Amino acid sequence: MTDPLDLDAFRENGYQLIDWIADYLGGLEDRPVLEPVSPGDVRAKMPAAAPRTGEPFSALMRDLDEIVAPGMTHWQHPNWFAYFPASSSPASILAELAAAGIGAQGMLWSTGPAITEVESHVLDWLVDLTGAPQNWKTTSTGGGVIQISASDSTHTALVVAREECRKRSGASAEQMVAYTSSQAHSSVEKGAIVAGFGHIRLIDVDEEFAQRPDALQAAIEADIAAGLTPAFVCAAVGTTGTTAIDPVRAIGEIGRAHDMWVHVDAAYAGSAMMCPEFRRLQDGLELVDSYTFNPHKWLFTSWGCSVFWVADRKPLIDTLSIAPPYLRNAATDSGDVIDYRDWHVPLGHHFRALKLWWVLRSFGVEGIQSMLRAHISWANDFATWVEDQPELEIFAPNPLALVCFRHRGGSEATQALATAINADGSVYVTPSLIGDDAFIRVSIGSTSTEQRHVLAFQEKIKALL
Ligand SMILES: *Cc1c(COP(=O)(O)O)cnc(C)c1O
């Protein structure tokens, strides 16, 4: 019998697991990005019932090789060009382990003072590192909190917007309208549904797929004339489809003029703001009430790390703070501390800040900047190569490291090309559509991707033309 609580065994098993992770990451290039898996294959390898008595750790490790790895889509693969990256890094992986080892729950300052203060401090650092407005810091009127996903951040913003609108106008949620572009991520619409908004308007975009302020203004006026109450507007800095950049300043001015909550979804693009030369893409942030971006996409921090900032934390806390007697404590009563349970929907708060802190420290700001700039320059080179191919054309601008292109032969030819690129599983791209127009998204930014992988990918496409 093995003792599941034996700490000497834990030590040994832990060393083995770190070896396994290093071998896994180092060996990805020898695997396909997409393992050949059919629905049910993974479950078919598992026993029908859970074990009655404890198994040795070696059996658990064996099934990482036999069940898990062959049943994966390998997001850390250097030939990962699909969706957006979910970039991880060694310090982030180790921080997840350290946080699990400490095993604390930081719902209140007093249940994890270091969880709370590291998080507030690192997110204040990030305000400076991304050139965000100074009042977003916890040392000023605002502050940041780490949520699981951008969907959670945006949902939270919508709930606060609803309460602010109710207080200001007396309108019911059914009378309230949320606005975002027709190219916005589905999480905006989903968040508005969950928050109970009566109406959501998907605003028209221009020829570069950015939200049109004139169309937003017209939609707001029509809704007011119909007796509805505009409550929330979201600008996307980097849409999921094509990384289109909505004009934050123009949208912010319209939102302010109508007393609406102005939110920015920069889930992917926000990481690029570590490099000052890209901050022009989000000019106007001083007009914004809340902002989200995902270090778990493109800041080398493993999945489950979305930063959510507010310019003023009072409406957020007023909306989400409920204090049952068993959560009362002297630190909270003093009003001197942040209790992160009041900053999001869940009560519990995980020590996600540790991985972000360790990533920033292990790379250094310059290390991160040089990785991001490399991804963006390889993407620019790839776009130039696409333009040089007589069979291909660029579909949308590439302000960052996502290149969208299509086959000049039309949507069918484009879809056929995407299928051919993905066919053997050695690389992975995402085919997409806007209206009836098919295009292929190539997102460069996996931590392990080097320029040679992008060049080999080009050769692969060339051979399929
Ligand atoms: C990826 C993405 C999201 C969703 O992110 P999650 O963290 O998975 O919820 C939201 N908005 C944009 C623009 C995205 O690209």
Side-chain angles (χ1 to χ4, degrees):
M1 275 289 290
T2 50
D3 173 5
L5 303 181
D6 183 79
L7 288 179
D8 289 325
F10 169 73
R11 240 178 254 283
E12 284 309 311
N13 297 337
Y15 300 147
Q16 273 187 42
L17 179 64
I18 297 294
D19 284 343
W20 185 90
I21 296 170
D23 290 342
Y24 170 79
L25 292 173
L28 278 174
E29 213 161 339
D30 301 326
R31 291 180 174 274
V33 185
L34 291 176
E35 296 285 350
V37 191
S38 303
D41 281 359
V42 176
R43 289 188 68 164
K45 293 184 187 171
M46 296 173 68
R52 309 252 352 139
T53 56
E55 297 181 58
F57 194 75
S58 57
L60 280 51
M61 291 282 296
R62 180 199 62 218
D63 287 345
L64 275 180
D65 284 321
E66 294 188 0
I67 299 179
V68 178
M72 283 311 300
T73 296
H74 301 292
W75 283 68
Q76 304 306 319
H77 199 290
N79 292 337
W80 179 269
F81 302 118
Y83 305 103
F84 281 131
S87 61
S88 182
S89 62
S92 176
I93 297 166
L94 294 174
E96 295 238 29
L97 189 57
I102 294 165
Q105 205 272 60
M107 59 186 173
L108 302 168
W109 176 87
S110 59
T111 66
I115 297 179
T116 304
E117 294 193 18
V118 166
E119 182 159 332
S120 300
H121 201 76
V122 168
L123 297 189
D124 282 1
W125 276 1
L126 266 186
V127 166
D128 289 331
L129 292 178
T130 61
Q134 287 295 311
N135 61 332
W136 292 11
K137 289 184 176 175
T138 52
T139 50
S140 177
T141 55
V145 59
I146 299 178
Q147 310 236 10
I148 299 175
S149 74
S151 305
D152 292 305
S153 300
T154 296
H155 172 222
T156 305
L158 279 152
V159 171
V160 182
R162 186 194 68 205
E163 290 310 297
E164 286 293 285
C165 181
R166 197 195 328 257
K167 277 190 230 158
R168 168 171 51 77
S169 69
S172 69
E174 293 73 49
Q175 295 169 298
M176 293 182 200
V177 194
Y179 303 81
T180 192
S181 97
S182 61
Q183 286 299 306
H185 188 266
S186 55
S187 57
V188 184
E189 196 171 350
K190 192 173 183 174
I193 293 169
V194 176
F197 275 71
H199 308 269
I200 167 118
R201 304 274 180 253
L202 302 181
I203 303 301
D204 274 351
V205 294
D206 64 19
E207 65 287 348
E208 295 194 340
F209 307 113
Q211 186 171 176
R212 279 176 39 205
D214 61 322
L216 172 65
Q217 178 74 35
I220 290 172
E221 284 169 13
D223 284 330
I224 292 173
L228 300 175
T229 309
F232 172 95
V233 61
C234 174
V237 173
T239 58
T240 311
T242 65
T243 56
I245 308 287
D246 289 349
V248 174
R249 182 170 295 285
I251 291 170
E253 282 168 356
I254 294 170
R256 284 284 164 112
H258 294 92
D259 275 338
M260 297 158 72
W261 187 274
V262 181
H263 177 64
V264 168
D265 176 3
Y268 162 76
S271 297
M273 305 309 158
M274 294 281 291
C275 306
E277 65 270 32
F278 300 110
R279 294 180 194 159
R280 63 187 155 73
L281 299 175
Q282 55 182 23
D283 169 60
L285 288 188
E286 72 277 13
L287 301 170
V288 162
D289 296 297
S290 58
Y291 180 102
T292 186
F293 93 98
N294 283 350
H296 70 219
K297 272 187 171 149
W298 197 20
L299 212 60
F300 317 110
T301 308
S302 25
W303 199 85
C305 185
S306 176
V307 171
F308 179 60
W309 276 304
V310 287
D312 180 1
R313 60 183 173 270
K314 189 171 183 306
L316 172 70
I317 295 171
D318 284 352
T319 301
L320 297 179
S321 177
I322 297 172
Y326 51 84
L327 293 178
R328 296 283 303 276
N329 65 89
T332 297
D333 290 345
S334 77
D336 293 338
V337 298
I338 284 177
D339 291 327
Y340 273 126
R341 70 176 176 126
D342 296 334
W343 291 57
H344 48 41
V345 175
L347 171 68
H349 192 74
H350 186 54
F351 199 178
R352 298 173 197 281
L354 191 68
K355 55 188 172 182
L356 193 50
W357 189 31
W358 282 17
V359 166
L360 291 171
R361 295 175 70 186
S362 72
F363 283 88
V365 175
E366 289 173 9
I368 290 175
Q369 288 172 331
S370 72
M371 297 270 289
L372 297 174
R373 286 181 178 130
H375 295 156
I376 293 165
S377 90
W378 302 337
N380 286 337
D381 291 350
F382 176 72
T384 304
W385 176 84
V386 166
E387 281 168 350
D388 288 345
Q389 308 310 303
E391 302 89 345
L392 303 178
E393 65 184 352
I394 292 291
F395 179 74
N398 54 293
L400 298 166
L402 177 80
V403 181
C404 299
F405 72 98
R406 64 179 166 189
H407 199 288
R408 286 183 188 274
S411 285
E412 260 179 49
T414 302
Q415 272 153 352
L417 178 60
T419 305
I421 291 171
N422 286 339
D424 67 0
S426 65
V427 301
Y428 193 29
V429 299
T430 307
S432 193
L433 278 176
I434 291 184
D436 294 330
D437 294 329
F439 62 102
I440 298 175
R441 295 170 76 266
V442 174
S443 148
I444 297 170
S446 191
T447 313
S448 60
T449 301
E450 297 169 24
Q451 189 170 24
R452 66 186 169 89
H453 298 109
V454 184
L455 297 175
F457 171 57
Q458 271 173 210
E459 290 310 307
K460 175 171 179 144
I461 300 174
K462 180 95 197 151
L464 293 170
L465 293 176

